[in-house]
């Protein structure tokens, strides 16, 4: 009952007065940093912003930290494999986990303005150009979930402006019902009208137009096919283009040959040709140097060639490692990070293949062990408690490495096989 009351109270507070709504034009300070006129030459990161903590202003419980958000976040109720380094957060939430010295382990909430601003400050500190802010389409019809997304987007906009970074709205269509793409279109219109988001100086443009990303086009999910269609996605892209936008599509690894994780529908190519940028999802598609080399030959290089022939920009996805132990019970550290060498090798392969832009997945996703932001080696301990560390490396190791990748992409340091000293 207490949590229900807090949720209602939170919604009521934001409903009082126009000044309470996160959907309004930005009026804060703005500092010029990265060139927001193009995606070319950029190393961008994905930003989930989906973590909620018990006691935060949304009152939804331990969202994305735990299996059961209304139960205590402690042993037996975790979905994350990495633990954030909390030394720089002004807003912290105590959990039922204990550190080795007996003190309580804390986490953050993405709802807090100070948290999101800190993350964008790190992007500035380490030379990361900005973020694609995730906006999950299947939650847009839920008042509470939409408010959380609006708040995070508003904080990200402020962070990008204050710290001279770029940001882009990325609609993830996963879990969307048939006909749901129309809700995405309506939401985008709301963001343009109420936030004047495309007029924001920190909002990233490409090919002379504001860039918007649609992720999840053409995926083959086996015995549970996605309810929305390729044709529906094509209609959405056409509307966005007519609305004066550039469009980036997040597609399957097998998009070009219509194989593996892709639907075997030639119409997918016609939809992709409508867009400006194509970005194949590669998380888990290779797991070590050998399989990465094979992926580069079979997919990366011919993908770049296809895109050039069809007037598209190619935006490859790289990731530091992968682990789904606490979330799904899969192997801990399933795709090892190798101290950063695995991530560096992917960035180098992207550069060698001819890509001039890179998407790093993800900035903050401790759920799948793909986070690059500051994580700790001093993780919770106890019976039945298992978390990954950064293998004794500094908390900012991967932020530094991605910053070096940005310099490598721009030709400021050589694209050597061995990662540089940080």
């Amino acid at each position: 009952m207490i949590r229900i009351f807090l949720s209602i109270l939170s919604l009521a507070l934001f409903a009082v007065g126009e000044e309470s709504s996160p959907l309004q034009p930005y009026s804060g300070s703005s500092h010029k940093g990265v060139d927001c006129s193009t995606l070319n030459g950029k190393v961008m990161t994905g930003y989930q912003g989906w973590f909620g903590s018990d006691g935060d202003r949304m009152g939804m419980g331990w969202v994305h930290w735990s299996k059961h958000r209304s139960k205590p976040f402690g042993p037996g109720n975790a979905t994350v494999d990495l633990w954030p380094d909390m030394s720089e957060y002004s807003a912290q939430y105590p959990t039922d986990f204990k550190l080795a010295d007996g003190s309580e382990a804390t986490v953050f909430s993405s709802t807090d303005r100070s948290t999101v601003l800190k993350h964008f400050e790190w992007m500035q500190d380490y030379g990361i150009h900005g973020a694609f802010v995730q906006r999950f389409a299947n939650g847009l019809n839920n008042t509470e979930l939409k408010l959380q997304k609006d708040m995070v987007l508003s904080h990200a906009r402020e962070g990008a402006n204050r710290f001279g970074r770029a940001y882009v709205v990325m609609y993830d269509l996963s879990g969307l019902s048939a006909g749901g793409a129309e809700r995405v279109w309506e939401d985008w219109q709301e963001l343009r009208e109420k936030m004047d988001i495309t007029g924001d100086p920190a909002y990233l443009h490409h090919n002379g137009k504001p860039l918007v990303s649609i992720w999840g086009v053409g995926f083959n999910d086996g015995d549970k096919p996605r309810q929305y269609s390729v044709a529906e996605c094509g209609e959405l892209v056409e509307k966005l283009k007519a609305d004066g936008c550039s469009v980036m599509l997040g597609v399957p690894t097998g998009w070009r040959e219509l194989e593996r994780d892709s639907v075997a529908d030639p119409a997918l190519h016609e939809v992709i040709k409508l867009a400006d940028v194509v970005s194949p999802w590669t998380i888990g598609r290779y797991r070590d140097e050998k399989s990465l080399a094979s992926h580069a030959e079979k997919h990366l290089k011919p993908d770049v060639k296809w895109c050039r022939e069809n007037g598209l920009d190619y935006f490859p996805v790289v990731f530091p490692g992968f682990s789904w132990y606490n979330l799904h019970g899969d192997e801990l550290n399933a795709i090892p990070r190798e101290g950063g060498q695995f991530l560096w090798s992917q960035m180098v392969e992207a550069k060698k293949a001819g890509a001039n832009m890179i998407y790093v997945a993800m900035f903050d996703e401790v759920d799948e062990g793909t986070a690059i932001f500051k994580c700790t080696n001093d993780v919770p301990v106890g019976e039945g408690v298992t978390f990954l560390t950064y293998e004794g490396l500094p908390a900012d190791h991967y932020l530094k490495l991605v910053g070096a990748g940005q310099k490598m992409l721009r030709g400021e340091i050589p694209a050597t096989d061995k990662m540089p000293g940080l």
Side-chain angles (χ1 to χ4, degrees):
M1 287 298 294
I2 294 176
R3 179 167 286 110
I4 294 173
F5 171 75
L6 288 173
S7 296
I8 294 173
L9 178 61
S10 297
L11 293 172
L13 288 173
F14 284 105
V16 178
E18 184 64 27
E19 71 279 6
S20 299
S21 171
L23 296 186
Q24 54 185 315
Y26 181 67
S27 58
S29 62
S30 184
H31 302 281
K32 184 168 179 58
V34 304
D35 176 10
C36 292
S37 69
T38 180
L39 184 59
N40 293 323
K42 299 288 191 300
V43 174
M44 301 283 287
T45 186
Y47 190 76
Q48 298 287 27
W50 59 15
F51 296 99
S53 296
D54 192 27
D56 69 16
R57 65 196 305 181
M58 285 302 300
M60 295 192 296
W62 299 107
V63 179
H64 271 275
W65 294 112
S66 67
K67 295 182 177 75
H68 309 284
R69 70 182 190 180
S70 62
K71 295 182 179 180
F73 178 36
N77 188 32
T79 57
V80 301
D81 279 16
L82 288 168
W83 199 271
D85 180 338
M86 294 299 297
S87 61
E88 297 181 46
Y89 292 87
S90 58
Q92 302 189 21
Y93 299 85
T95 74
D96 281 13
F97 285 105
K98 300 295 182 182
L99 302 178
D101 64 1
S103 62
E104 62 186 9
T106 62
V107 292
F108 62 81
S109 170
S110 302
T111 300
D112 291 325
R113 170 177 172 270
S114 61
T115 290
V116 180
L117 293 188
K118 176 58 67 175
H119 291 163
F120 275 80
E121 181 181 5
W122 289 344
M123 293 179 204
Q124 179 193 51
D125 289 345
Y126 296 94
I128 299 170
H129 290 115
F132 280 75
V133 182
Q134 311 297 304
R135 197 164 172 84
F136 290 86
N138 66 347
L140 292 175
N141 289 322
N142 180 296
T143 302
E144 192 175 45
L145 292 177
K146 183 178 180 299
L147 175 58
Q148 195 272 346
K149 300 177 200 304
D150 292 345
M151 291 172 65
V152 172
L153 179 59
S154 178
H155 299 333
R157 173 183 61 178
E158 181 179 359
N161 274 282
R162 285 184 178 273
F163 299 106
R165 303 299 94 186
Y167 73 105
V168 182
V169 172
M170 175 179 277
Y171 288 101
D172 188 325
L173 304 186
S174 301
L176 197 65
S177 60
E182 182 62 25
R183 183 67 186 91
V184 173
W185 167 248
E186 293 170 356
D187 183 76
W188 177 247
Q189 292 303 297
E190 182 180 31
L191 296 184
R192 295 200 74 168
E193 293 168 8
K194 292 185 177 181
M195 292 184 79
D196 186 26
I197 194 166
T198 57
D200 189 277
Y203 196 83
L204 187 66
H205 286 54
H206 190 61
N207 292 340
K209 302 173 183 178
L211 181 64
V212 61
S213 176
I214 306 298
W215 192 95
V217 179
F219 280 80
N220 173 16
D221 290 341
D223 57 355
K224 292 183 179 180
R226 302 196 173 200
Q227 295 181 35
Y228 60 92
S229 66
V230 170
E232 189 178 341
C233 293
E235 292 172 2
L236 176 59
V237 174
E238 288 178 331
K239 285 183 177 181
L240 291 168
K241 296 286 287 187
D243 196 40
C245 298
S246 290
V247 178
M248 188 204 97
L249 294 183
V251 299
T253 293
W255 66 276
R256 183 175 42 79
E257 295 186 332
L258 304 176
E259 60 173 10
R260 295 179 67 180
D261 52 353
S262 173
V263 294
D265 184 353
L268 176 59
H269 287 171
E270 299 310 309
V271 173
I272 290 174
K273 289 176 183 178
L274 294 172
D276 299 82
V277 184
V278 61
S279 183
W281 189 245
T282 53
I283 311 303
R285 275 42 173 192
Y286 44 82
R287 55 186 304 116
D288 51 31
E289 297 285 323
K290 182 178 179 180
S291 55
L292 169 60
S294 175
H295 174 84
E297 290 300 320
K298 185 174 181 181
H299 295 281
L300 195 54
K301 295 176 182 178
D303 280 2
V304 170
K305 182 175 181 292
W306 191 97
C307 286
R308 285 178 176 167
E309 291 172 348
N310 289 278
L312 288 162
D313 289 309
Y314 188 73
F315 196 24
V317 175
V318 301
F319 65 105
F322 185 86
S323 184
W324 250 2
Y325 178 78
N326 285 311
L327 183 60
H328 288 298
D330 291 356
E331 179 186 358
L332 183 70
N333 201 27
I335 302 179
R337 291 179 171 235
E338 300 176 1
Q341 181 63 53
F342 182 61
L343 176 58
W344 177 257
S345 296
Q346 293 171 74
M347 292 190 286
V348 168
E349 289 289 359
K351 168 76 171 179
K352 289 180 177 178
N356 71 343
M357 54 185 72
I358 294 176
Y359 180 97
V360 182
M362 306 285 288
F363 187 83
D364 56 341
E365 190 158 347
V366 287
D367 319 49
E368 298 183 352
T370 62
I372 62 164
F373 71 168
K374 296 182 183 183
C375 288
T376 185
N377 293 298
D378 184 18
V379 299
V381 297
E383 184 177 354
V385 177
T386 304
F387 292 101
L388 289 173
T389 69
Y390 265 1
E391 301 171 316
L393 294 166
D396 63 353
H397 178 76
Y398 288 93
L399 292 171
K400 287 182 177 178
L401 186 61
V402 174
Q406 180 265 132
K407 294 179 180 178
M408 180 271 296
L409 182 69
R410 297 167 75 92
E412 296 173 13
I413 62 175
T416 57
D417 290 339
K418 184 178 180 181
M419 72 177 191
L422 301 176

